[in-house]
Amino acid sequence: MTDTGGLSTKIFYRSAAAQQVRKEGRAEVWAQAVLMVLERRGLEVPDGVRERVLSCRDSEELGVVLDRAWEVTEVTRAQDLFGD
């Protein structure tokens, strides 16, 4: 086996695939934060809303949703958070 000095690892971390993995990881953290805020505020989160939050992969959108999670008084539909 030839030692490449970690070159393949360095290339992977700069690759589009690695960037996508990092982006999805950040979105997952944002989604968990949204749900945590809602739950800590004592708001019931329906399964459909929970699924929509967890399936969102756009960190910027989830940042807006997190702001709304602090403001809503009730969550019955995903539109209550996503505004669509």
Side-chain angles (χ1 to χ4, degrees):
M1 184 189 268
T2 309
D3 180 17
T4 60
L7 183 59
S8 62
T9 302
K10 290 177 187 175
I11 291 171
F12 172 76
Y13 284 111
R14 295 180 184 157
S15 71
Q19 290 174 10
Q20 184 64 29
V21 167
R22 286 191 295 272
K23 181 179 177 182
E24 288 178 8
R26 284 189 297 272
E28 186 176 329
V29 170
W30 280 102
Q32 291 295 335
V34 168
L35 296 175
M36 183 175 64
V37 166
L38 293 170
E39 290 167 2
R40 296 273 166 87
R41 292 188 59 223
L43 299 174
E44 186 174 328
V45 181
D47 290 341
V49 173
R50 181 178 304 279
E51 290 170 17
R52 170 82 186 270
V53 170
L54 291 173
S55 67
C56 183
R57 294 292 173 238
D58 184 337
S59 295
E60 287 183 31
E61 181 177 22
L62 285 166
V64 172
V65 170
L66 182 59
D67 288 340
R68 289 185 183 136
W70 285 106
E71 299 168 355
V72 296
T73 57
E74 178 180 59
V75 181
T76 56
R77 309 167 300 149
Q79 292 86 341
D80 296 335
L81 293 172
F82 285 87
D84 53 17

